[in-house]
Every structure is written in C-alpha cells, then in structure tokens.
Amino acid sequence: HRPLHIAIEKGHLNIIKFLIEEAGADLKATTENRYTLLHTACRYSQLEVLKYLSQYIGKGEAPLKTWHKTAYGNTPLHLIA
C-alpha cells in the first residue's frame, strides 16, 4: 500500500491532511487492486476521513470519483454498506 492509503486505513487525519495539502500526495493514487482513497476510507469505515476527502469529490485537477471500481468490481459505496 501507499503511505496515504495506510494513513487512511488507520484514520490518521492529521497525516492525511499533511500528505495531501503539504506534500502534494496524488489524489488519484490506487493500490494494486485499484482501491482509490475513497475505497480505502469506506472499507475501513473512516467517517472523519470521508468527510475530509469529500471536498475533493469531482473538483480540481485530480477529482475523486465515487463511481471508480476496484479490480473486484466494487465502488466505494459497495464497501461502506
């Protein structure tokens, strides 16, 4: 996993904010199974992280996409249900 995905999995919001806002982490980063940042936050029920990431959905140069599917065909919504 990439550092940002690990921070999301663990719910370390301060580290997530630093990686995105200060270190310029790639919002389009995916794991080997095509999990996006939203997939990871949903999979691990990180609601505060989801609230933070929601500001990037559909906005900017690298918007987060709610419809992106993993290698297993799951969208973020499939994982949070």
Side-chain angles (χ1 to χ4, degrees):
H1 292 303
R2 296 171 183 246
L4 187 52
H5 284 90
I6 294 169
I8 291 170
E9 177 182 330
K10 304 296 183 188
H12 297 305
L13 193 54
N14 288 335
I15 294 171
I16 295 163
K17 288 180 179 180
F18 171 79
L19 290 171
I20 292 173
E21 297 171 14
E22 303 295 327
D26 183 6
L27 292 174
K28 293 182 183 179
T30 61
T31 66
E32 60 277 358
N33 291 320
R34 298 195 336 240
Y35 277 73
T36 65
L37 306 180
L38 290 177
H39 285 101
T40 303
C42 288
R43 181 176 182 196
Y44 293 96
S45 301
Q46 296 294 350
L47 299 181
E48 291 303 314
V49 174
L50 281 169
K51 287 178 191 176
Y52 171 73
L53 292 176
S54 70
Q55 68 184 306
Y56 297 104
I57 294 174
K59 297 179 183 172
E61 294 178 21
L64 296 176
K65 296 174 177 70
T66 57
W67 48 263
H68 180 88
K69 292 184 179 180
T70 66
Y72 307 107
N74 294 317
T75 67
L77 294 176
H78 289 120
L79 299 173
I80 196 122

